[in-house]
Amino acid sequence: MNQPASNPSGAADDYEEIHQAFEKIKQKYRADFGEKDVRYIKKIRSNSRIFEVIGRSLIHVLPGPFALIGVPFLFLHRNLEAIEIGHNVLHGQYDSFDEIPQFHAKNFRWKAPVDETSWRQEHNAVHHVHTNVYEKDPDLNHGFLRVNDQVPHTKLHYFQVPIYLFLFYPFMLYNFNAQNLGVVDKFRKKYFPEGNKGYAVVDEALRVSKAEGMKRHKRAVRRIWAKEYFVFPLLALLTGFGVIKVFLANLLADVMNSYWIALTIQATHFTEPLQPEDAIKNKGKWYVSQLDSSVNFKGNRWQSILWGHLNYQVEHHLFPDFPSHRYPDMAKDVKAVCKQYNLPYKCNNSWFSAIRKFVGAMWTYSFKNTPASDRTAFLDKTASLNNAASLSKTASVNKEPANV
């Protein structure tokens, strides 16, 4: 199937101008890097620790169901550590700040059940480079998910909505290793009629042995399980408080965190149009492909922190190694470039709207041979152009549509 990608005119000069326009934004904000960024990430870590102390103390000492009062605080701790700190630090957003080596990607140990090395290889070096490229981008699928009509349909896809919403997303963080280490590739190869056709698989150069993969997975998961489901329940037992109460409260915070992150990530990746594989060969085309492949949703500054600033998914994909707290300001410049070059800037009105539309996509593509009219209706409504009122016309069709 041919899927057109956005392009102001198709001319090489236009792409070069777009490239330079986004490079100017990078230069503007990189020149302002400094103490402000260091203070920010340190403050987020400090707040995370405060939330942890409050949450665990309340869960520990309050009787019975009253212990639930502490769960939101523990969730805030787990959430900040997983995305606003962990995800962004592993992108190298603070690597240029020598005074905080603990927040350098290669030194960082994630407080999440995810192997850092495999994540950087799969997420940073593959997904963020080949975004929405058919059989290249692993985040188009996250397992066996079908959200475009080129992925071969199987009987399992009829049930993908309940499977993901009630089985996968509550434990999403624990599922990342299966994708990053190639476990899901083996499952699809064994059980799907056409194997891995339509799915991105782990590059052979990055694939590790089964033993090494299990070692990495167990190491990442055990550090979370040991703390959440052994140390603190044991502490409750030794001090005369409820073991089961602490165990279940920690589990609830764990599930809430996975759900929150799963729905944030999935709702901000625009699944169509699929992008040309050669977009990476031209930096201007690559920037346009990121605009095509990402969608924001609106929220205030405090909410953005809890979403890891991934509600600014457009800016994150354009500038993944810039400190995330700068995305709200950078968005103003990105919108101006999009307006100038007649490019799409997609933004949903709320997180709930973004979730509803993504779940709608899951439902649409759970069926075989989705009518073109249904796909078109979904695409038209998936995201609004945030700057549509100021655009004189919509982005024109690429003269060389992507043949994916």
Side-chain angles (χ1 to χ4, degrees):
M1 179 181 72
N2 288 333
Q3 279 288 352
S6 296
N7 179 11
S9 70
D13 289 345
D14 292 323
Y15 281 125
E16 182 55 31
E17 288 181 19
I18 291 168
H19 171 205
Q20 294 304 323
F22 283 119
E23 289 298 315
K24 286 181 181 178
I25 296 175
K26 290 174 67 173
Q27 293 167 10
K28 172 185 174 180
Y29 286 91
R30 196 178 293 280
D32 191 47
F33 280 7
E35 183 60 28
K36 174 183 177 180
D37 303 284
V38 174
R39 285 199 310 269
Y40 175 81
I41 193 63
K42 283 185 174 181
K43 183 177 180 180
I44 293 296
R45 170 53 65 80
S46 177
N47 288 340
S48 169
R49 288 171 173 167
I50 291 171
F51 288 138
E52 181 179 24
V53 171
I54 294 173
R56 295 198 189 280
S57 297
L58 291 174
I59 290 170
H60 197 80
V61 303
L62 291 179
F66 291 102
L68 292 174
I69 296 173
V71 172
F73 293 97
L74 183 57
F75 160 76
L76 288 172
H77 161 65
R78 296 291 304 275
N79 173 273
L80 291 174
E81 291 293 340
I83 47 178
E84 184 63 2
I85 298 175
H87 167 264
N88 293 326
V89 166
L90 288 172
H91 265 293
Q93 293 183 2
Y94 296 91
D95 282 4
S96 61
F97 302 96
D98 294 337
E99 59 269 49
I100 46 172
Q102 69 271 32
F103 294 112
H104 291 182
K106 291 186 178 180
N107 300 333
F108 189 76
R109 290 296 172 264
W110 211 350
K111 293 185 179 181
V114 186
D115 176 63
E116 296 88 354
T117 301
S118 303
W119 173 270
R120 289 199 304 269
Q121 292 172 341
E122 184 273 350
H123 184 73
N124 298 3
V126 181
H127 164 62
H128 270 270
V129 175
H130 302 286
T131 312
N132 271 24
V133 176
Y134 181 68
E135 293 189 338
K136 284 283 188 179
D137 181 5
D139 282 14
L140 274 172
N141 310 111
H142 279 296
F144 69 88
L145 189 62
R146 183 177 189 262
V147 284
N148 65 75
D149 63 350
Q150 285 193 243
V151 174
H153 188 274
T154 70
K155 292 181 180 179
L156 192 59
H157 289 123
Y158 286 120
F159 307 99
Q160 68 178 12
V161 173
I163 288 174
Y164 272 82
L165 289 181
F166 302 116
L167 295 179
F168 279 16
Y169 289 167
F171 307 99
M172 184 72 165
L173 286 172
Y174 293 93
N175 294 327
F176 280 130
N177 284 336
Q179 175 172 300
N180 301 341
L181 295 168
V183 176
V184 179
D185 301 350
K186 297 175 182 178
F187 171 84
R188 292 189 301 252
K189 183 178 180 180
K190 182 176 181 180
Y191 294 105
F192 282 17
E194 297 186 63
N196 284 308
K197 183 180 179 181
Y199 296 93
V201 298
V202 175
D203 190 288
E204 286 300 323
L206 301 177
R207 194 178 293 276
V208 299
S209 67
K210 182 177 180 180
E212 175 63 19
M214 286 301 298
K215 178 182 176 182
R216 292 186 185 186
H217 175 66
K218 288 179 179 179
R219 181 176 59 206
V221 170
R222 283 173 177 172
R223 68 190 177 202
I224 301 300
W225 283 4
K227 181 178 181 180
E228 302 298 330
Y229 306 117
F230 179 74
V231 173
F232 283 102
L234 179 61
L235 182 62
L237 176 65
L238 296 176
T239 53
F241 292 94
V243 177
I244 296 177
K245 173 193 68 174
V246 172
F247 184 96
L248 292 179
N250 290 356
L251 177 62
L252 179 57
D254 204 355
V255 170
M256 289 170 58
N257 189 40
S258 275
Y259 237 126
W260 183 280
I261 292 172
L263 293 177
T264 300
I265 293 172
Q266 300 280 253
T268 52
H269 283 88
F270 191 47
T271 58
E272 298 236 26
L274 294 173
Q275 296 300 304
E277 188 174 345
D278 65 352
I280 190 176
K281 296 180 181 179
N282 180 294
K283 195 59 184 286
K285 282 187 177 182
W286 182 84
Y287 277 127
V288 173
S289 76
Q290 300 307 302
L291 292 170
D292 269 332
S293 303
S294 307
V295 57
N296 291 356
F297 59 84
K298 295 178 181 178
N300 61 40
R301 290 263 182 167
W302 291 105
Q303 290 171 323
S304 297
I305 292 173
L306 296 182
W307 289 315
H309 284 94
L310 294 180
N311 57 315
Y312 289 93
Q313 192 69 236
V314 172
E315 287 69 29
H316 177 56
H317 267 265
L318 292 172
F319 316 107
D321 59 347
F322 276 59
S324 62
H325 71 98
R326 292 188 174 266
Y327 291 156
D329 293 327
M330 298 179 82
K332 302 171 186 176
D333 297 283
V334 172
K335 290 177 187 177
V337 171
C338 290
K339 178 180 178 181
Q340 179 181 356
Y341 292 99
N342 204 24
L343 297 169
Y345 185 90
K346 307 182 183 80
C347 185
N348 280 303
N349 289 324
S350 69
W351 186 34
F352 297 105
S353 176
I355 292 171
R356 185 176 66 252
K357 291 168 184 177
F358 176 74
V359 173
M362 292 174 64
W363 174 259
T364 297
Y365 288 102
S366 65
F367 299 98
K368 191 175 183 179
N369 300 323
T370 304
S373 58
D374 289 353
R375 296 198 302 269
T376 303
F378 161 68
L379 294 178
D380 288 342
K381 294 186 291 183
T382 297
S384 61
L385 287 175
N386 197 41
N387 57 337
S390 61
L391 286 172
S392 61
K393 57 182 180 177
T394 56
S396 60
V397 173
N398 192 334
K399 291 182 179 179
E400 297 180 358
N403 185 9
V404 292

